[in-house]
Amino acid sequence: DVKVTQSSRYLVKRTGEKVFLECVQDMDHENMFWYRQDPGLGLRLIYFSYDVKMKEKGDIPEGYSVSREKKERFSLILESASTNQTSMYLCASSLVSGSPREQFFGPGTRLTVL
Amino acid sequence: DAKTTQPPSMDCAEGRAANLPCNHSTISGNEYVYWYRQIHSQGPQYIIHGLKNNETNEMASLIITEDRKSSTLILPHATLRDTAVYYCIVRAPSFTGANSKLTFGKGITLSVRP
């Protein structure tokens, strides 16, 4: 089974702190995604990576950055956390070749910024 | 991606089959039907996908009408652990970059009662 793990299930941070969310997948997937999920807004893509050191902005990249130094690991960084970044953060991975390519999700990190 | 329409909620008795409908009347010829579910406070979980033939795996069956304008996800023997929000998504298989993102609608909330 594909396994996508996220470093924390719950996280509480203060406004202005730098926050790191880590995601690791064990199936050698090329694609990795960071989404946030908010009530009434569904899933929104923050950043996407299709290879080591490669990244693309999603729909809502402002206030976030990402790092992919190794194929299995994709990190989301909140440079200076703000209260409007309180949300559920979901990491996902998928193959880039073959069709169709379902995404496998981690358990999520519920981040609260005070 | 084509739009999908699902009723907001339904329930079924434990041990009975749960039939979850989805309308996708604007589906294109190369678009697949995917189903995901999200149990409360967890990441979404891939269930099944299909193009035009009916599909079955260890979790569920997917029945797609001949005109492909609607489909039904069947959980043959629902358990309490199947209580979740189920998302029907229609999308083409070949896409790159941030277009690989998943777009979840509101989904259908399935409540399995004892």
Side-chain angles (χ1 to χ4, degrees):
Chain A
D1 279 355
V2 175
K3 194 159 185 187
V4 180
T5 56
Q6 295 183 229
S7 49
S8 307
R9 288 301 308 275
Y10 299 94
L11 208 52
V12 179
K13 295 292 181 181
R14 298 210 173 271
T15 301
E17 281 193 76
K18 191 168 185 176
V19 181
F20 293 86
L21 303 182
E22 303 284 336
C23 175
V24 178
Q25 50 92 7
D26 66 358
M27 284 301 291
D28 206 33
H29 284 173
E30 296 92 347
N31 290 341
M32 295 189 76
F33 307 80
W34 274 107
Y35 295 89
R36 63 178 281 179
Q37 186 175 32
D38 301 287
L41 296 177
L43 259 68
R44 292 181 291 168
L45 181 67
I46 304 171
Y47 265 99
F48 162 77
S49 170
Y50 53 92
D51 202 351
V52 174
K53 297 191 189 296
M54 307 305 285
K55 62 186 179 186
E56 278 189 32
K57 292 180 180 179
D59 298 319
I60 50 164
E62 295 78 20
Y64 303 94
S65 61
V66 289
S67 171
R68 190 149 180 218
E69 296 296 319
K70 293 185 178 181
K71 190 175 185 180
E72 68 270 19
R73 188 179 298 269
F74 192 34
S75 302
L76 180 70
I77 302 150
L78 286 65
E79 297 291 342
S80 177
S82 63
T83 54
N84 63 12
Q85 292 178 309
T86 291
S87 186
M88 168 74 105
Y89 289 87
L90 292 161
C91 174
S93 71
S94 72
L95 290 168
V96 73
S97 57
S99 169
R101 290 157 279 178
E102 60 266 32
Q103 292 186 19
F104 295 88
F105 284 82
T109 295
R110 188 164 292 282
L111 172 67
T112 301
V113 182
L114 302 175
Chain B
D1 295 336
K3 183 178 166 59
T4 62
T5 305
Q6 300 176 258
S9 63
M10 65 175 290
D11 63 16
C12 77
E14 192 175 17
R16 305 297 293 266
N19 298 309
L20 287 73
C22 180
N23 286 324
H24 31 80
S25 58
T26 60
I27 192 169
S28 300
N30 67 338
E31 288 182 316
Y32 283 73
V33 180
Y34 286 79
W35 283 83
Y36 283 77
R37 74 178 182 185
Q38 190 169 21
I39 295 169
H40 182 62
S41 294
Q42 295 185 23
Q45 178 188 23
Y46 164 79
I47 301 173
I48 199 167
H49 69 270
L51 183 62
K52 50 186 173 183
N53 297 323
N54 297 337
E55 302 287 345
T56 296
N57 64 20
E58 64 279 2
M59 289 183 69
S61 294
L62 175 61
I63 309 297
I64 302 173
T65 58
E66 194 165 339
D67 64 7
R68 303 209 325 122
K69 293 185 177 182
S70 65
S71 60
T72 302
L73 179 75
I74 301 172
L75 308 179
H77 305 287
T79 70
L80 298 178
R81 287 176 295 180
D82 291 321
T83 292
V85 180
Y86 288 77
Y87 298 97
C88 170
I89 300 164
V90 170
R91 63 199 299 235
S94 299
F95 33 77
T96 58
N99 290 325
S100 303
K101 69 183 177 187
L102 281 174
T103 301
F104 283 22
K106 291 185 169 24
I108 177 172
T109 299
L110 173 67
S111 301
V112 180
R113 60 181 187 275

